[in-house]
Amino acid sequence: TQPVALVGMCLVALASSQAEAAVQMASAAVVSAPDLVAAWVALGQALKAAERHEKAAKAYERAIRLDGMNALARLGLGELKIAAGRPEEAVAEFELALKRRPALIAAHLGMGNALACMGRNEEALEKYEAALALRPRLAEGEFAAGFALARLGRAKEAETRYRRAVAARPDFAAAWINLGSLLREQGQDVFAEAALRRAIGLRPDLVSGWVNLAILERERCRPEAAETYLHKAFALNPGQV
């Protein structure tokens, strides 16, 4: 039972954003029980959270060698492949995950993200809707659907989805940024500014929040304010194109 308990402790550490502690717990679990699939999956999840992606991929691959259809290992590997800019390969991983667990919401979202990376926005939207059918009003699902709809030129529908996302999760900074950007494009400056200020209030470390505020101020012919916001963006990421 010790390795199983270590896996449980790893998941608790992950839930409280203690990635390195989670890595230690999962590493101890795989040493104690090298044939325990759940331990390798937990190690992959912990290493991914710690942004040690190459090692995370190896942990997932070890889990897959033990159980080729393990849905969580395939899911994790798919997410890593998106992060590495290989969405075509990610699609195959998500397909295998969904074969084993058709109701795995994260795999539907991952598949949608991979398809969106490839510019296949209609198909991506279908995957996001599949996730929302399993869990209605899921903030991440509504946000992703809004993103796909915006790319498809369906701005009003996208706005509705972003509003649902922030209603479900008021601290969803990325959704506030996308909503603000969309409202700016529609000429709704006051509402756009309110949404963007909400975003940077929640996450002042997000470059896109400051950049979108700068664009808004530039369009209002207020270059000094725009410059101030751009300096904040550059301070966060000096290499920002």
Side-chain angles (χ1 to χ4, degrees):
T1 59
Q2 185 192 10
V4 175
L6 286 166
V7 169
M9 291 164 68
C10 165
L11 298 178
V12 170
L14 278 175
S16 54
S17 301
Q18 299 177 61
E20 289 302 333
V23 170
Q24 291 175 16
M25 301 292 180
S27 297
V30 299
V31 169
S32 178
D35 292 333
L36 182 63
V37 176
W40 288 106
V41 171
L43 181 58
Q45 291 170 328
L47 288 164
K48 181 156 71 76
E51 297 190 356
R52 289 149 68 180
H53 289 182
E54 283 186 26
K55 289 186 176 180
K58 287 177 181 173
Y60 288 134
E61 286 162 2
R62 181 67 180 267
I64 288 165
R65 283 201 294 276
L66 293 165
D67 174 9
M69 290 296 287
N70 185 275
L72 294 179
R74 292 289 182 185
L75 169 66
L77 208 49
E79 290 171 343
L80 288 174
K81 286 182 175 180
I82 289 178
R86 289 147 55 195
E88 299 88 351
E89 294 175 36
V91 167
E93 300 296 341
F94 295 128
E95 283 175 345
L96 289 168
L98 289 167
K99 269 187 184 173
R100 172 67 70 88
R101 287 177 56 180
L104 186 59
I105 291 169
H108 286 287
L109 292 175
M111 178 79 87
N113 293 340
L115 292 165
C117 287
M118 296 157 66
R120 292 159 61 180
N121 296 304
E122 288 279 7
E123 293 170 78
L125 183 59
E126 287 175 15
K127 295 301 176 184
Y128 299 143
E129 299 292 19
L132 288 163
L134 291 163
R135 191 180 300 171
R137 298 301 174 103
L138 174 68
E140 291 78 6
E142 296 289 7
F143 170 75
F147 180 78
L149 286 161
R151 278 187 161 189
L152 290 165
R154 293 156 65 180
K156 293 308 291 183
E157 292 173 77
E159 180 185 340
T160 298
R161 297 308 186 93
Y162 290 143
R163 289 191 184 281
R164 285 184 190 169
V166 297
R169 215 181 92 196
D171 65 345
F172 200 160
W176 282 111
I177 289 172
N178 282 23
L179 176 61
S181 177
L182 198 67
L183 292 170
R184 177 188 60 76
E185 288 170 3
Q186 294 173 358
Q188 299 185 54
D189 290 2
V190 173
F191 295 111
E193 182 179 5
L196 292 169
R197 289 197 180 282
R198 179 67 186 270
I200 60 170
L202 290 163
R203 289 284 306 276
D205 59 315
L206 287 179
V207 171
S208 56
W210 296 107
V211 171
N212 272 284
L213 269 174
I215 294 168
L216 176 64
E217 295 296 9
R218 186 185 65 188
E219 289 177 352
R220 287 168 154 178
C221 299
R222 288 156 60 173
E224 295 84 1
E227 185 178 353
T228 298
Y229 294 138
L230 285 173
H231 279 303
K232 289 182 181 290
F234 280 120
L236 288 166
N237 182 355
Q240 178 76 19
V241 175

